[in-house]
Amino acid sequence: MRLFPAPPEIDEQTGFDQGDLFGRKEFGDRLTRLVLALEHPAVLLLDAPWGAGKTIFVKMWEGELRKQSVPVIHFDAFASDYMADPFTALAGEVLDLAKRHESDDAKVDSFRAKSLGVLKVIAKHGGRALVKAATYGVIDPGSSDDWKNIEKDMAAAAAEISDKVLLDRLDHHAEEKATFAAFREALKELAISLGPVELAEGERRPPLVFVIDELDRCRPTFALSLLETVKHFFDVDGVVFLLVTNLAQLEKSVEFAYGAGIDARGYLDKFFHLRALLPTRSKKYISGHSGTYARHIAISTGIRNNYLIEAITNIANEMKIDFRTTERLVANIILFETSTNGIMNAFTDVIVGLSLMRIKHPHLYDRARARNLNLE
C-alpha cells in the first residue's frame, strides 16, 4: 500500500517527452530560448507556490537542455542545508559535472586549486563548513599539506582576535580579492569546456545552467548565505543560474534574519535579474489541471474503485485544490478505504468531501464528527 505516489523517475536526457502531464513544454521552450539568448551572466528566479510541481518541471526542462548539449547542474539546496558554508557544495557540484564530462584536466585542476584558495580565506573568517569539504572532493584530506593548513586556519579563526590578527587581515585584503578573482576566472574557463566540443558556424556557445532547487525549504540563514555565495563567487560569464523557489516564503527567510521591518522583496531583488512565474496560478490553469492530477495520483497509488476515482477528480476540479493538497487527500482516502475494508459506491462524494474538509478545515471536520456542524 502506498499513501503517496512514488517520486517520478525522470530521465536526465528525455525532457518533456516522458509525460508532460500539465502541458508546460511550451513554457519550458520559452525559458530555454531566453537562457540560450543571454550574452552575459544572469540569475533567473522561477517562482511558484509550494506543491505546484516546480521540481518535476525543472527536471524535465533540464532534460530538454541536455538534448541540446547544454551543460546542466541540478542542486537540491535543501539536501545540503545542514552545512554552514554553501560555497563548498556549489564548487563540489561543478567539479562533479566536470569529472563526468571528462573535461580538460588542466582546467579542472585549476578550478580545484582556486576553490581551495577561496576555502582557505573562508576558514580565516570562521568557515565552519570546511569540516565537510572532503566529501565533495574539493579537498583531499589524505594528500599534501592542504588539509593541515586549513585546520590551522580554522584554529586561528576560533582563537581570540587580537590587533595582530586584525592588522593581518587588513594587509591581506588585496590578496583575498585576487584569490576570489582567480576563482571566478577558473570557473569561467571550466564552464566553457563543459559545453559542446564543436559549434556550427554562427552558433553561440551555450552557458553552464546551474539550477538551484528547494531554496524555500532551507534554513533561512543557509538560504541567504547561498544567495550571497552565488552573487559574490559564481556570477561569471558563461554561467546562468535558475533559482527555483516560492518567493513569498523566501521573503519570510529575510524577515527571520533581519527583522519584520526590512523590505524583504527589495533585499532579494539584488540577487536575481528576472523573475518568471511557473504557469499555475490562474483559475483557468488550476481548473484545467487539478482534476487531471487527482486522477493520475488516485490511479498511481492503487485506487481501483472507479466511483471513488471519479469523485476525487470532480471535487479536485470543483474546489481547484493545489497538487500537494491532492496528494494528502488521496492519502486520507486510502487510509479510510483500508481501515473499512472497502467503500460503498453510494457515499464516495461524501467521503471525499469529508476527507478534504479534514485537511483544509480541521475545525469544521471536528464539528462534523461531533454532529455539531450547521450546514447553513
Side-chain angles (χ1 to χ4, degrees):
M1 178 183 73
R2 294 196 66 93
L3 291 181
F4 297 97
E9 296 182 3
I10 301 175
D11 185 86
E12 287 192 350
Q13 304 291 336
T14 305
F16 291 103
D17 295 340
Q18 58 195 303
D20 183 17
L21 184 63
F22 306 121
R24 289 168 170 166
K25 184 179 186 303
E26 181 181 350
F27 174 78
D29 290 342
R30 295 202 304 269
L31 186 60
T32 298
R33 288 194 293 271
L34 170 63
V35 167
L36 297 184
L38 291 171
E39 299 180 6
H40 53 75
V43 179
L44 312 178
L45 186 142
L46 182 63
D47 185 16
W50 279 347
K54 297 187 293 295
T55 296
I56 293 176
F57 166 77
V58 293
K59 286 188 174 181
M60 289 185 175
W61 179 66
E62 291 162 9
E64 294 291 330
L65 293 178
R66 293 188 182 99
K67 287 195 292 185
Q68 300 181 49
S69 300
V70 178
V72 181
I73 292 173
H74 183 97
F75 177 66
D76 183 343
F78 182 61
S80 296
D81 87 336
Y82 64 91
M83 303 182 70
D85 165 39
F87 176 88
T88 305
L90 296 179
E93 291 287 344
V94 176
L95 278 175
D96 287 345
L97 178 63
K99 292 173 183 176
R100 295 197 306 271
H101 191 270
E102 298 182 354
S103 301
D104 185 313
D105 288 342
K107 291 182 179 179
V108 173
D109 290 343
S110 174
F111 178 80
R112 191 170 181 271
K114 300 305 187 294
S115 298
L116 179 59
V118 173
L119 288 170
K120 287 182 177 181
V121 174
I122 293 174
K124 291 180 181 179
H125 294 275
R128 295 168 293 166
L130 292 176
V131 175
K132 297 291 185 180
T135 62
Y136 283 86
V138 175
I139 300 171
D140 182 0
S143 67
S144 69
D145 293 325
D146 287 341
W147 188 255
K148 293 180 180 178
N149 290 337
I150 287 178
E151 287 180 330
K152 187 185 301 181
D153 289 335
M154 292 178 70
E160 181 179 356
I161 297 178
S162 64
D163 290 346
K164 183 179 182 302
V165 172
L166 294 175
L167 287 172
D168 181 69
R169 288 185 179 177
L170 287 173
D171 291 339
H172 289 86
H173 178 64
E175 293 179 15
E176 292 179 0
K177 289 178 63 177
T179 297
F180 299 157
F183 168 79
R184 288 190 288 268
E185 184 63 26
L187 173 60
K188 182 171 71 173
E189 292 298 321
L190 184 58
I192 293 174
S193 72
L194 293 173
V197 177
E198 297 182 358
L199 296 174
E201 185 176 353
E203 183 181 4
R204 180 183 292 117
R205 182 170 294 279
L208 165 62
V209 178
F210 207 131
V211 178
I212 297 182
D213 195 11
E214 304 285 13
L215 190 58
D216 48 343
R217 296 181 63 194
C218 295
R219 289 180 293 109
T221 51
F222 183 82
L224 300 183
S225 179
L226 194 153
L227 292 176
E228 293 279 3
T229 299
V230 169
K231 181 177 179 64
H232 293 307
F233 297 109
F234 290 83
D235 187 19
V236 302
D237 286 338
V239 181
V240 172
F241 279 85
L242 180 68
L243 309 177
V244 184
T245 189
N246 177 355
L247 187 56
Q249 185 61 35
L250 199 57
E251 289 174 2
K252 295 185 184 300
S253 294
V254 176
E255 293 172 357
F256 175 86
Y258 296 106
I262 189 173
D263 178 6
R265 177 63 65 88
Y267 174 85
L268 291 172
D269 279 347
K270 68 181 181 179
F271 294 109
F272 61 89
H273 301 95
L274 179 67
R275 173 186 174 221
L277 298 176
L278 189 66
T280 60
R281 291 183 172 176
S282 70
K283 291 183 178 180
K284 179 180 178 181
Y285 181 92
I286 294 174
S287 63
H289 292 85
S290 292
T292 301
Y293 187 65
R295 180 179 294 275
H296 168 74
I297 292 299
I299 294 173
S300 66
T301 50
I303 294 178
R304 294 292 177 263
N305 185 318
N306 289 328
Y307 292 98
L308 188 56
I309 292 173
E310 195 65 26
I312 294 170
T313 302
N314 291 339
I315 286 183
N317 266 332
E318 183 67 26
M319 302 302 295
K320 301 177 178 58
I321 59 178
D322 63 72
F323 303 142
R324 191 156 294 173
T325 300
T326 299
E327 294 176 358
R328 295 177 62 196
L329 171 64
V330 172
N332 272 270
I333 293 170
I334 290 173
L335 285 174
F336 180 84
E337 186 179 29
T338 302
S339 64
T340 57
N341 195 28
I343 294 180
M344 295 178 62
N345 296 336
F347 297 104
T348 52
D349 289 338
V350 175
I351 291 167
V352 175
L354 286 172
S355 296
L356 183 59
M357 181 188 292
R358 183 181 185 185
I359 296 168
K360 301 289 286 184
H361 306 287
H363 62 290
L364 294 180
Y365 177 79
D366 290 340
R367 288 175 58 186
R369 286 191 63 193
R371 300 183 180 182
N372 190 31
L373 180 63
N374 188 338
L375 296 180
E376 296 180 359

